[in-house]
Amino acid sequence: MTSQNNNGIHRRPSVGVRVGTIMVGGGAPVVVQSMTNTDTVDEKSTVEQVAQLARAGSELVRITVNSMEAAKAVPGIRERLDAMGCHVPLVGDFHFNGHKLLTSYPECAQALAKLRINPGNVGHGKKRDEQFSTLIEIASKYDKPVRIGVNWGSLDPEMLARIMDENAASSDPQDAKYVMREALITSALESAAKAEEIGLPRHKIILSCKVSGVQDLIMVYRELAVRCDYALHLGLTEAGMGSKGIVASTAALAVLLQEGIGDTIRISLTPEPGGSRSREVIVAQEILQTMGLRAFVPLVAACPGCGRTTSTYFQELAESIQTYVRNEMPTWREQYDGVENMSLAVMGCVVNGPGESKHANIGISLPGSGENPVAPVFVDGQKTVTLKGDNIASEFRQIIDQYVSEKYPRKVV
């Protein structure tokens, strides 16, 4: 049976996979994950970034394990995170030499909550089978789930050649893009079948088939969803920077999520120089929240501005309030139930300001050009106070704090 959320979206049935404390698939809410870009050998920097991603709301964090030194560092990273009260599950990302690393450092496997392997980078020919088997046997030994992550930038050349030959011999050969998509899906499904044959249970397998094109991703996952019931990880493999990466990821994932496809997501944004890695977490959360699939943090509705709103004050207030609630949310989440569902509105003039503010739990309608320099505040649809002067921002934050403490039940410690 499919599961259905409050928005009426029917989730595709999939096998549930437990990753540490997090359930992926099996009707569980779609999980947000991210990945560090630190050198894993640098334990201090890696711990700091993992903690930052976890505070932003990442429920799984993947780290690169690409050398003996990195594998050796993983247990220490886990210990440091636990010591600071950050228990987010860690996923190890392995390419080319994972079989050697995990064999040499079993403590690395034990410290990780999940292994991610790419069947296109495991090896070739006989070595591929042996090395893939080693990885799966280690995962089984330590009771770790595995994401078999196929990527069209690193497809197994033998697999691709075989699919191309089969297509060429067909009475109705398809174009090159179809062949590439079929090779991705075949690689994922055959690798999963091989993993089960070796002894990894079905409830320990997650699949992904990542590409960088929006339409290709949609077509691949629609077909993959029809052909299996494994839990699926979604994401463009190289989304890009800034608005391009956000728009491309949203365009692809929103279509699939609306169709009930996908159990965990990552937004693979290229950070701007000096930019925060946690932006990819925020984008993933906002995709899920704006679609009504999950709630993570109160979101602020704000008008775009027009000739009636020549002042930038409402823009500055909207940004500062969204930043404020996001920064406060880790504390609120620990103390209160349901705060993530709170809705806020910061509006810039009288046209839609009062009405939009009434629809939110807490809304403020700032004066537009030529309007009286006062800002009525509405709480659950009722006007409660009018703010004016130089302290509107701080007074509005106090109203939010009071609402949270009065309206949401405290958690029992």
Side-chain angles (χ1 to χ4, degrees):
M1 293 179 65
T2 59
S3 62
Q4 180 179 336
N5 80 328
N6 292 334
N7 239 16
I9 296 175
H10 291 270
R11 295 281 304 283
R12 158 189 171 270
S14 62
V15 176
V17 180
R18 184 161 292 282
V19 183
T21 58
I22 302 296
M23 179 62 74
V24 176
V30 180
V31 173
V32 171
Q33 62 178 280
S34 59
M35 185 176 183
T36 60
N37 61 356
T38 57
D39 182 352
T40 306
V41 176
D42 183 347
E43 290 189 29
K44 182 176 182 293
S45 294
T46 301
V47 167
E48 288 175 354
Q49 193 171 83
V50 170
Q52 177 191 47
L53 292 166
R55 282 195 300 272
S58 185
E59 294 161 304
L60 300 174
V61 178
R62 183 157 48 112
I63 61 176
T64 297
V65 188
N66 59 342
S67 66
M68 291 294 182
E69 292 78 15
K72 191 175 181 180
V74 171
I77 292 169
R78 180 71 274 168
E79 288 175 9
R80 289 189 185 204
L81 287 166
D82 288 340
M84 59 193 295
C86 179
H87 304 297
V88 63
L90 295 178
V91 180
D93 192 56
F94 296 93
H95 295 273
F96 308 111
N97 59 354
H99 59 292
K100 292 182 179 178
L101 301 181
L102 291 170
T103 299
S104 298
Y105 292 100
E107 301 88 352
C108 175
Q110 291 174 303
L112 294 168
K114 184 177 76 171
L115 314 181
R116 187 268 178 160
I117 60 176
N118 182 342
N121 288 338
V122 171
H124 302 292
K126 186 179 179 182
K127 281 189 176 181
R128 177 194 183 281
D129 293 340
E130 292 174 353
Q131 290 164 189
F132 182 82
S133 295
T134 298
L135 287 164
I136 298 302
E137 287 166 0
I138 291 171
S140 298
K141 178 179 180 181
Y142 295 106
D143 196 29
K144 304 296 180 179
V146 173
R147 172 158 71 93
I148 297 173
V150 185
N151 190 303
W152 75 348
S154 53
L155 268 172
D156 178 4
E158 294 176 7
M159 165 76 67
L160 182 57
R162 191 188 89 206
I163 301 296
M164 291 175 66
D165 289 343
E166 291 174 355
N167 181 65
S170 169
S171 59
D172 183 24
Q174 303 296 312
D175 62 20
K177 278 204 166 185
Y178 171 87
V179 174
M180 182 70 76
R181 292 194 297 268
E182 184 60 27
L184 282 162
I185 295 166
T186 300
S187 177
L189 294 178
E190 288 188 357
S191 297
K194 182 67 175 177
E196 287 197 62
E197 181 183 318
I198 294 168
L200 189 67
R202 199 172 191 81
H203 68 272
K204 293 289 184 181
I205 298 173
I206 298 172
L207 296 187
S208 67
C209 290
K210 288 195 171 184
V211 299
S212 55
V214 170
Q215 295 297 339
D216 289 309
L217 191 83
I218 292 169
M219 287 187 276
V220 164
Y221 273 90
R222 279 175 173 167
E223 182 65 19
L224 189 61
V226 169
R227 289 162 64 172
C228 75
D229 64 354
Y230 294 108
L232 300 181
H233 168 78
L234 301 185
L236 292 173
T237 185
E238 291 100 11
M241 295 185 74
S243 60
K244 184 271 177 184
I246 294 171
V247 170
S249 295
T250 304
L253 270 58
V255 171
L256 293 168
L257 292 167
Q258 186 69 23
E259 295 177 2
I261 299 170
D263 301 293
T264 176
I265 65 172
R266 186 206 169 190
I267 309 301
S268 300
L269 293 180
T270 304
E272 286 82 359
S276 173
R277 189 70 168 177
S278 61
R279 191 180 187 193
E280 67 176 52
V281 178
I282 294 171
V283 173
Q285 290 180 331
E286 290 181 350
I287 290 173
L288 295 174
Q289 187 154 351
T290 54
M291 292 185 69
L293 290 168
R294 291 191 65 183
F296 298 95
V297 63
L299 297 181
V300 178
C303 63
C306 66
R308 292 174 176 270
T309 57
T310 53
S311 168
T312 61
Y313 185 76
F314 88 94
Q315 300 164 339
E316 295 161 3
L317 181 61
E319 181 180 33
S320 71
I321 293 301
Q322 184 68 77
T323 300
Y324 177 73
V325 297
R326 190 168 284 282
N327 290 340
E328 290 296 307
M329 194 60 207
T331 301
W332 287 345
R333 189 181 295 114
E334 290 181 359
Q335 296 179 350
Y336 303 99
D337 277 320
V339 185
E340 64 275 8
N341 296 302
M342 180 172 61
S343 60
L344 304 170
V346 176
M347 305 302 291
C349 81
V350 75
V351 173
N352 292 318
E356 190 74 36
S357 296
K358 290 177 183 178
H359 290 311
N361 293 126
I362 309 172
I364 185 170
S365 181
L366 296 163
S369 304
E371 296 175 15
N372 292 330
V374 295
V377 175
F378 299 84
V379 176
D380 289 332
Q382 301 298 316
K383 180 180 173 182
T384 58
V385 67
T386 298
L387 304 181
K388 52 187 173 181
D390 298 329
N391 299 316
I392 288 178
S394 61
E395 291 173 2
F396 191 60
R397 286 195 297 269
Q398 290 173 11
I399 292 170
I400 293 172
D401 289 339
Q402 182 178 355
Y403 186 90
V404 169
S405 65
E406 292 178 356
K407 294 292 184 177
Y408 295 100
R410 281 191 172 271
K411 291 184 176 180
V412 178
V413 180

